[in-house]
Short mmCIF file of all heavy atoms in Angstrom, two decimals:
data_model
loop_
_atom_site.label_atom_id
_atom_site.label_comp_id
_atom_site.label_asym_id
_atom_site.label_seq_id
_atom_site.Cartn_x
_atom_site.Cartn_y
_atom_site.Cartn_z
N MET A 19 -37.34 32.05 42.92
CA MET A 19 -37.49 30.60 43.12
C MET A 19 -37.22 29.90 41.79
O MET A 19 -38.15 29.57 41.07
CB MET A 19 -38.90 30.30 43.61
CG MET A 19 -39.33 31.17 44.80
SD MET A 19 -40.90 30.65 45.53
CE MET A 19 -42.09 31.22 44.34
N ASP A 20 -35.94 29.69 41.47
CA ASP A 20 -35.61 29.19 40.13
C ASP A 20 -35.02 27.79 40.18
O ASP A 20 -34.34 27.42 41.14
CB ASP A 20 -34.62 30.17 39.46
CG ASP A 20 -34.53 29.94 37.96
OD1 ASP A 20 -35.44 29.33 37.38
OD2 ASP A 20 -33.52 30.39 37.37
N GLY A 21 -35.27 27.03 39.12
CA GLY A 21 -34.66 25.70 38.97
C GLY A 21 -35.65 24.55 39.07
O GLY A 21 -35.24 23.38 39.10
N ASN A 22 -36.94 24.85 39.11
CA ASN A 22 -37.94 23.79 39.23
C ASN A 22 -37.91 22.84 38.04
O ASN A 22 -38.02 21.62 38.20
CB ASN A 22 -39.35 24.39 39.31
CG ASN A 22 -39.55 25.27 40.51
OD1 ASN A 22 -38.71 25.31 41.40
ND2 ASN A 22 -40.66 26.00 40.55
N GLY A 23 -37.80 23.42 36.86
CA GLY A 23 -37.81 22.61 35.64
C GLY A 23 -36.61 21.67 35.61
O GLY A 23 -36.75 20.46 35.34
N ARG A 24 -35.43 22.20 35.92
CA ARG A 24 -34.22 21.37 35.91
C ARG A 24 -34.29 20.28 36.97
O ARG A 24 -33.86 19.16 36.76
CB ARG A 24 -32.98 22.25 36.13
CG ARG A 24 -32.49 22.90 34.84
CD ARG A 24 -31.55 24.03 35.11
NE ARG A 24 -32.30 25.22 35.53
CZ ARG A 24 -31.73 26.31 35.99
NH1 ARG A 24 -30.41 26.37 36.13
NH2 ARG A 24 -32.47 27.35 36.32
N ARG A 33 -41.74 18.91 33.93
CA ARG A 33 -41.38 20.20 34.53
C ARG A 33 -42.38 20.62 35.61
O ARG A 33 -42.01 21.17 36.64
CB ARG A 33 -41.32 21.29 33.45
CG ARG A 33 -40.18 21.16 32.45
CD ARG A 33 -40.23 22.29 31.43
NE ARG A 33 -40.28 23.60 32.10
CZ ARG A 33 -39.21 24.24 32.56
NH1 ARG A 33 -38.02 23.72 32.41
NH2 ARG A 33 -39.34 25.39 33.16
N ASN A 68 -42.94 34.92 31.75
CA ASN A 68 -43.27 33.49 31.83
C ASN A 68 -44.49 33.12 30.99
O ASN A 68 -44.75 31.93 30.74
CB ASN A 68 -43.46 33.04 33.28
CG ASN A 68 -42.17 32.97 34.08
OD1 ASN A 68 -42.15 33.20 35.29
ND2 ASN A 68 -41.06 32.65 33.42
N ARG A 71 -44.04 30.68 28.03
CA ARG A 71 -43.84 29.23 28.19
C ARG A 71 -44.98 28.45 27.52
O ARG A 71 -46.03 29.02 27.23
CB ARG A 71 -43.77 28.90 29.69
CG ARG A 71 -42.53 29.52 30.29
CD ARG A 71 -42.27 29.00 31.66
NE ARG A 71 -41.03 29.58 32.17
CZ ARG A 71 -40.32 29.09 33.16
NH1 ARG A 71 -40.72 27.99 33.77
NH2 ARG A 71 -39.21 29.68 33.55
N ARG A 185 -31.14 34.14 44.66
CA ARG A 185 -31.66 33.44 43.48
C ARG A 185 -31.07 32.04 43.46
O ARG A 185 -29.85 31.88 43.42
CB ARG A 185 -31.30 34.16 42.18
CG ARG A 185 -31.87 33.38 40.98
CD ARG A 185 -31.65 34.06 39.66
NE ARG A 185 -32.36 33.32 38.62
CZ ARG A 185 -32.91 33.86 37.55
NH1 ARG A 185 -32.83 35.15 37.35
NH2 ARG A 185 -33.52 33.11 36.64
N SER A 187 -30.56 28.06 41.89
CA SER A 187 -30.31 27.33 40.64
C SER A 187 -29.00 27.70 39.96
O SER A 187 -28.68 27.12 38.92
CB SER A 187 -31.47 27.46 39.64
OG SER A 187 -31.30 28.59 38.79
N GLU A 189 -28.22 30.44 38.39
CA GLU A 189 -28.31 31.51 37.38
C GLU A 189 -28.00 32.83 38.08
O GLU A 189 -28.54 33.12 39.13
CB GLU A 189 -29.72 31.61 36.79
CG GLU A 189 -30.28 30.36 36.16
CD GLU A 189 -29.53 29.90 34.93
OE1 GLU A 189 -28.56 30.56 34.51
OE2 GLU A 189 -29.90 28.83 34.42
N ARG A 191 -28.59 36.22 37.39
CA ARG A 191 -29.23 37.39 36.76
C ARG A 191 -30.48 37.74 37.55
O ARG A 191 -30.94 36.99 38.39
CB ARG A 191 -29.54 37.12 35.29
CG ARG A 191 -30.35 35.87 35.02
CD ARG A 191 -30.69 35.69 33.54
NE ARG A 191 -31.28 34.38 33.33
CZ ARG A 191 -30.61 33.30 32.93
NH1 ARG A 191 -29.32 33.39 32.66
NH2 ARG A 191 -31.23 32.14 32.80
MG1 MG J 3 -35.83 29.26 35.34
#
Side-chain angles (χ1 to χ4, degrees):
M19 310 188 285
D20 196 19
N22 298 350
R24 277 164 283 172
R33 291 179 53 82
N68 289 148
R71 294 192 177 200
R185 180 176 186 147
S187 90
E189 304 295 358
R191 54 177 171 264

